[in-house]
Amino acid sequence: MALPKKKNGFRSIIINEQTFNWRITDNYLDIRSGVFPETKIHIALEWIDHSIPFEERSYLNNLQVTPRLVSEAIAFALDNQWNPAIKTTHTFLLSYAGKSFSRIIY
């Protein structure tokens, strides 16, 4: 089933009465605040290998991006000073590998 075009492939999730929108892109998991879409998290996933077609990547390490993984990513970001209630163009960067998240700081 295709998602409506106006959602641009985003799915919604509600955590602690806050709405977030998320989608998987070619390079990362993209999570955005429901209040300020500019306030976002990008998560590099462990299975990214650009030599493998996008459709085949998730099967390599049996990684499935589920609402549970998304909620764990949001909880990790919130615990590490991400604030979805503040409008910002700064992207909060995380990586996910070995079943754990880590923050990427430049």
Side-chain angles (χ1 to χ4, degrees), residues 19-55:
T19 301
F20 299 91
N21 299 304
W22 65 279
R23 69 179 173 182
I24 302 170
T25 68
D26 189 32
N27 298 317
Y28 51 84
L29 174 60
D30 180 2
I31 302 172
R32 298 182 184 208
S33 164
V35 177
F36 298 114
E38 309 84 3
T39 304
K40 57 192 167 192
I41 308 168
H42 284 174
I43 304 165
L45 301 171
E46 65 182 340
W47 45 260
I48 293 175
D49 180 347
H50 294 287
S51 65
I52 300 167
F54 176 70
E55 297 79 21

Side-chain angles (χ1 to χ4, degrees), residues 43-70:
I43 304 165
L45 301 171
E46 65 182 340
W47 45 260
I48 293 175
D49 180 347
H50 294 287
S51 65
I52 300 167
F54 176 70
E55 297 79 21
E56 299 173 16
R57 292 182 195 160
S58 64
Y59 299 103
L60 293 177
N61 292 324
N62 201 23
L63 174 65
Q64 295 179 352
V65 178
T66 63
R68 180 178 179 165
L69 180 72
V70 174

